[in-house]
Amino acid sequence: MLNALVTNLAAEGEVANNPLLPAWYDIIWSGLWFIIILVVVWKVALPKLTKMLDERSAAIEGNIAKADEAQKQAEAALEEYTRQLAEARTEAGEIREAAREDGKKIVAEAKDAASSEAARITATAHTQIEAERQTALVSLRSEVGSLAIDLAGGVVGETLSDDARATAVVDRFLADLEVSEKAAQ
C-alpha cells in the first residue's frame, strides 16, 4: 500500500511531500509537548523518584546495619552461651568428682566406724565371757570344795568343819588340777 501511495504521488508530480516525514506543524506541536513533558518529569517526577529511591536505599542500608548488629549480638550471645555451657560442664564434672570423693570418705568412715564397733563388741564379749568364766570358776570351786569335803568326811568318817582348812585343801587340789591340765596341753 505504501508503494501504491508513493507511486500515486510521483505520478501526480508532487514529490515535495515525503510521506515518511510529518508536516512542519506536527513537528512543532510534538516538540512543544515533548519539552513540556520533559520539564514536568525533570522538575516534578524525577525529584520525587530520586527522593523515594534515596529513602529506600537508606531503609535498606539501615536494615542491613540492623541485621549486621543483630548478627553480631547473636554471635556474642552464642559465644556467651557456649562459654557458660563449658563452665557448667566443668562445674558439673567438679561436683561429680567431689561427690565421688565424699562417697569414698563416707564409705571409709562407715568402715572405720563398723570396725571400731566390732572391736568394741568383741572386747565387751571377751570381758563378759571372762566375767562369766570367773563366776563359773568361783561357783565350781565352791561346789567342788563342798563335794570334796563331804567325800573326805565320808572317807575319814568325820566331818571336816574347819572352813579355813577345808578351803585350803580345796584350793590346793584345784591348783594341782590346773597344773596337771597345763602340763597335758
Side-chain angles (χ1 to χ4, degrees):
M1 177 154 131
L2 188 56
N3 257 348
L5 184 59
V6 172
T7 331
N8 260 348
L9 288 176
E12 293 177 6
E14 292 185 30
V15 182
N17 281 341
N18 188 354
L20 296 178
L21 290 176
W24 62 271
Y25 56 86
D26 284 336
I27 293 175
I28 291 175
W29 282 110
S30 297
L32 181 65
W33 283 110
F34 178 73
I35 290 172
I36 290 171
I37 292 172
L38 183 65
V39 168
V40 168
V41 167
W42 192 278
K43 293 290 183 180
V44 177
L46 190 61
K48 287 184 181 180
L49 183 64
T50 305
K51 181 180 175 187
M52 183 184 68
L53 290 176
D54 288 344
E55 288 174 356
R56 274 189 160 177
S57 175
I60 290 170
E61 288 175 3
N63 288 339
I64 289 173
K66 287 178 186 176
D68 287 343
E69 183 64 28
Q71 185 175 1
K72 287 179 184 177
Q73 289 176 353
E75 288 173 357
L78 179 63
E79 289 176 9
E80 179 67 19
Y81 170 75
T82 305
R83 184 186 60 77
Q84 288 177 350
L85 185 62
E87 287 177 1
R89 286 182 178 159
T90 304
E91 186 175 340
E94 290 172 356
I95 290 171
R96 269 194 310 270
E97 200 57 40
R100 283 188 189 122
E101 292 298 321
D102 289 346
K104 288 178 183 177
K105 287 179 185 176
I106 290 170
V107 167
E109 289 173 0
K111 284 181 180 178
D112 290 344
S115 296
S116 63
E117 183 66 18
R120 185 189 63 79
I121 290 172
T122 304
T124 304
H126 284 300
T127 304
Q128 188 176 5
I129 290 171
E130 185 61 31
E132 288 177 6
R133 183 179 161 273
Q134 290 298 327
T135 305
L137 187 61
V138 168
S139 172
L140 182 65
R141 278 182 187 227
S142 156
E143 288 179 24
V144 166
S146 314
L147 285 174
I149 290 175
D150 288 342
L151 287 175
V155 169
V156 173
E158 310 176 11
T159 41
L160 300 173
S161 60
D162 186 12
D163 284 339
R165 193 174 210 194
T167 304
V169 169
V170 169
D171 285 341
R172 188 171 27 99
F173 174 73
L174 288 177
D176 289 344
L177 188 63
E178 285 178 4
V179 169
S180 66
E181 280 182 6
K182 286 182 183 178
Q185 289 180 355

